[in-house]
Amino acid sequence: MALAININDLLNKQKIESNRIEFKKGWNPASIYHSVCAFANDFDDLGGGYIVVGVDTDDATGVAIRPVEGIPTEKIDGILQDMVGYNNKISPYYMPRTSVEEVDGKSVLVIWCPAGINRPYSVPENVTAKSMTKEYFYVRSGTSSIIAKGEVLDELRELASRVPFDERGNPDIHLEDISTLLLREYLVKVGSKLASDINTKPLKEILEQMDLYVGPKENRMLRNVAAMMFCENPSKFFKRTQVEIVYFPEGRLNNPSNLYEGAFITGSVPQIIDRTLEYLKRMLVMQSIIKPNDDYRSRKFYTYPYQALEESVTNSLYHRDYQEWEPVVITVEPDGITIQNVGGPDRSISAADISRCDILVSRRYRNRRLGEYLKELDMTEGRSTGIPTIQNVLENNGSPRATVITDEDRTFFRITIPCHEAAGNIIADIAHKDGTLKASKRSAQKSAPETALETALESASKTALQIIDEIRNNPNITLSEIAGNLGVSRRWIATNIKHLQDKGIVKRVGPNKGGHWEIIG
């Protein structure tokens, strides 16, 4: 089979983290299958890994030595046949993908080990032994594969029920939902040989080779990530997968009734990211030059460094909780841009780290496969590098630092990118630049409770305001009815209702059945 990534990117350790790549000078199945098992277990939710056989490395740098050693062509068929038997020794059964690639005029074997759906996996200490040897669970530690012991083994066993959402099978996604145009465009961009097979092989076979199917042969299902990446309208499966941009010319708190709504941005996840960034760049990224009186050198700055917006927008779609029916919302105010997505940071990240907004290191990723695809498209950098990158480019631009807000329940993530202080109010004339902007239908008369909501719930999503309106119109309304009216999940409404109750904005009077809601204030 062909790889869904370019072989030179593997050899140069580009687009894939170095701890997800292992080079082997020769065929040593006992050692190699320790790594196959470790990558399949994917203890750190990195997305599995690659083993490249026939490549020696520099001991000091770990970089592949070119030209490569290669594997004698006459031995490859025997190696592939042996692997069939070795795969059967992994418990539960696991089959890595293989590809024979030509590099420097020689053949190398690439073993792709995506994260397994039936982890944890164990493998005999020596798969080549004729007699039974003890089986161990292996995990990755840096660039090595080690035996899982103690707490690590306990946690590995707990991962059995934890499959990232984007890797789960979805019975509602069908072959006809997949755009061959988007799929081919992706394969061409990453330099995969599969791109040339699009017109000659069945689509199902291409998707199988990309490990986008899950489940037994009699009930194969496409993974959620297939629709996220290669469907023109992923909202068909993940409601409101879109970006909404809202402008507050005077600021959201100063005058919340004065707002304009831009067009909704839809498409596949990569398309949404590209279209959103193109829009923001065209509308809001401007360069200015200041000539100080006491200095002959001019000062150049941008209203917003493009790379800061690029990282923020990409991460909002990458880390979004696609089970919740809330869009990514971008709020533009005179002093900054706020980007918010549902699904907050993992609880392994402390509140102190979040408040510092420096580096957020997470061991668990909600959509690890989606992140892998975006990284291969150069849309995102290495893991845990997004916030430091944003802060660095803001500092170099002379802008204030970005800030991050979430709530105690980690239901959302909001990052604010400040506008350069010397830029002034750049959105004062924004309506003249974008014909899609329209005034909001929200009433200019805001009651005291709604004003309290604006000030007391700076960390709330716009759903909170919509819930207030629903309760005001019908105090007897149920959570399910609110969810239906707003087109979101009942779980998301319950989370926001609890937030409003905790802040003293609304309260429940009487029992769940037969009671009613009241707005306090």
Side-chain angles (χ1 to χ4, degrees):
M1 62 163 278
L3 289 174
I5 189 173
N6 187 278
I7 180 62
N8 286 308
D9 287 338
L10 286 179
L11 294 176
N12 298 327
K13 292 189 175 181
Q14 294 178 340
K15 301 183 181 180
I16 300 294
E17 295 90 340
S18 59
N19 58 341
R20 296 181 55 214
I21 304 172
E22 188 168 299
F23 296 124
K24 296 288 186 180
K25 182 178 180 180
W27 174 242
N28 180 4
S31 172
I32 286 172
Y33 267 81
H34 295 170
S35 294
V36 170
C37 179
F39 284 132
N41 279 326
D42 196 24
F43 182 68
D44 289 322
D45 274 344
L46 298 177
Y50 298 83
I51 304 167
V52 188
V53 185
V55 177
D56 198 6
T57 58
D58 183 281
D59 292 336
T61 63
V63 174
I65 296 175
R66 307 290 293 269
V68 298
E69 287 281 332
I71 302 175
T73 304
E74 63 273 14
K75 291 186 177 181
I76 290 178
D77 285 343
I79 290 173
L80 295 176
Q81 290 177 11
D82 289 342
M83 287 186 67
V84 174
Y86 300 150
N87 294 341
N88 282 305
K89 293 186 178 184
I90 301 175
S91 180
Y93 176 75
Y94 174 85
M95 184 182 72
R97 277 66 174 167
T98 58
S99 177
V100 178
E101 302 283 334
E102 183 176 335
V103 180
D104 301 332
K106 299 178 182 178
S107 296
V108 299
L109 174 64
V110 180
I111 305 173
W112 175 32
C113 310
I117 61 171
N118 296 315
R119 58 184 180 177
Y121 296 91
S122 62
V123 72
E125 185 176 18
N126 186 354
V127 292
T128 65
K130 294 184 179 180
S131 58
M132 291 293 294
T133 60
K134 189 171 182 179
E135 293 188 1
Y136 292 101
F137 296 92
Y138 290 87
V139 296
R140 295 293 286 180
S141 176
T143 57
S144 302
S145 298
I146 63 171
I147 297 174
K149 298 178 180 178
E151 292 181 357
V152 172
L153 180 57
D154 292 339
E155 188 175 350
L156 177 62
R157 285 173 170 149
E158 291 175 2
L159 295 178
S161 59
R162 293 169 54 183
V163 178
F165 178 75
D166 64 335
E167 296 214 60
R168 299 175 193 171
N170 190 327
D172 296 326
I173 304 173
H174 304 291
L175 275 178
E176 53 267 29
D177 296 312
I178 304 301
S179 165
T180 54
L181 183 63
L182 289 179
L183 181 60
R184 186 180 185 280
E185 182 181 354
Y186 166 79
L187 293 172
V188 169
K189 283 183 177 178
V190 301
S192 170
K193 292 193 298 184
L194 280 174
S196 60
D197 294 336
I198 287 287
N199 297 324
T200 59
K201 291 185 179 180
L203 176 59
K204 184 175 182 180
E205 184 176 333
I206 300 292
L207 296 173
E208 284 278 10
Q209 288 184 260
M210 295 177 67
D211 190 39
L212 287 174
Y213 273 101
V214 65
K217 291 182 179 179
E218 68 276 10
N219 186 31
R220 300 293 277 166
M221 292 183 290
L222 281 166
R223 299 182 191 268
N224 283 320
V225 72
M228 294 175 185
M229 287 292 301
F230 309 121
C231 178
E232 295 278 2
N233 182 28
S235 286
K236 178 179 178 181
F237 313 103
F238 324 111
K239 301 296 183 183
R240 303 186 76 184
T241 298
Q242 60 196 39
V243 168
E244 299 179 5
I245 301 176
V246 183
Y247 294 89
F248 289 89
E250 299 174 65
R252 184 167 63 92
L253 295 181
N254 292 335
N255 190 353
S257 62
N258 180 16
L259 74 156
Y260 292 89
E261 296 177 347
F264 296 165
I265 300 175
T266 60
S268 68
V269 171
Q271 285 178 324
I272 292 175
I273 293 172
D274 281 338
R275 291 166 181 173
T276 301
L277 290 172
E278 189 279 330
Y279 177 91
L280 294 178
K281 184 177 182 180
R282 174 169 54 89
M283 300 296 295
L284 298 170
V285 178
M286 309 170 194
Q287 187 183 55
S288 296
I289 300 176
I290 297 178
K291 294 183 178 180
N293 294 329
D294 57 349
D295 195 337
Y296 70 91
R297 291 170 297 185
S298 299
R299 288 174 50 204
K300 296 181 180 180
F301 67 88
Y302 289 90
T303 49
Y304 298 97
Y306 177 76
Q307 193 174 4
L309 299 180
E310 184 179 37
E311 288 286 336
S312 301
V313 170
T314 301
N315 285 337
S316 70
L317 273 299
Y318 169 18
H319 297 297
R320 178 184 186 267
D321 186 348
Y322 286 85
Q323 297 179 87
E324 297 294 347
W325 296 359
E326 278 288 301
V328 170
V329 179
I330 299 179
T331 303
V332 184
E333 302 182 66
D335 58 352
I337 296 175
T338 297
I339 302 171
Q340 176 173 301
N341 60 275
V342 291
D346 188 80
R347 290 194 176 277
S348 62
I349 303 174
S350 69
D353 286 342
I354 293 172
S355 64
R356 281 194 294 269
C357 192
D358 192 5
I359 182 169
L360 305 182
V361 181
S362 176
R363 289 186 56 198
R364 301 285 174 249
Y365 289 85
R366 187 175 288 111
N367 303 301
R368 63 184 177 191
R369 188 72 175 277
L370 177 62
E372 182 179 332
Y373 280 132
L374 296 179
K375 192 169 188 298
E376 289 169 3
L377 289 171
D378 290 326
M379 285 184 162
T380 185
E381 299 294 331
R383 295 171 187 268
S384 304
T385 61
I387 297 296
T389 297
I390 291 169
Q391 302 292 28
N392 286 338
V393 296
L394 285 172
E395 181 180 357
N396 293 337
N397 190 56
S399 301
R401 285 172 59 85
T403 58
V404 166
I405 295 176
T406 186
D407 59 355
E408 291 182 1
D409 296 328
R410 305 290 174 92
T411 61
F412 71 90
F413 184 89
R414 174 187 292 174
I415 184 168
T416 298
I417 309 297
C419 185
H420 194 286
E421 294 172 332
N425 188 351
I426 66 170
I427 65 171
D429 300 321
I430 206 74
H432 300 294
K433 295 179 64 177
D434 187 351
T436 67
L437 293 181
K438 58 181 181 294
S440 170
K441 295 181 180 178
R442 186 186 302 172
S443 171
Q445 299 297 321
K446 298 178 69 63
S447 65
E450 195 168 62
T451 302
L453 181 65
E454 289 285 353
T455 55
L457 293 185
E458 185 177 3
S459 62
S461 70
K462 75 172 186 177
T463 307
L465 288 174
Q466 295 172 320
I467 291 173
I468 292 290
D469 290 337
E470 293 290 331
I471 291 175
R472 182 177 290 115
N473 294 332
N474 179 12
N476 298 315
I477 196 168
T478 66
L479 299 189
S480 296
E481 288 171 338
I482 296 175
N485 292 344
L486 300 184
V488 299
S489 69
R490 186 185 184 282
R491 176 185 165 195
W492 180 241
I493 294 299
T495 297
N496 279 271
I497 282 284
K498 182 179 182 301
H499 198 107
L500 292 174
Q501 289 175 300
D502 291 343
K503 293 293 183 180
I505 303 299
V506 302
K507 70 176 181 179
R508 183 71 180 176
V509 179
N512 289 336
K513 290 186 177 180
H516 65 276
W517 297 101
E518 282 189 4
I519 301 173
I520 305 170

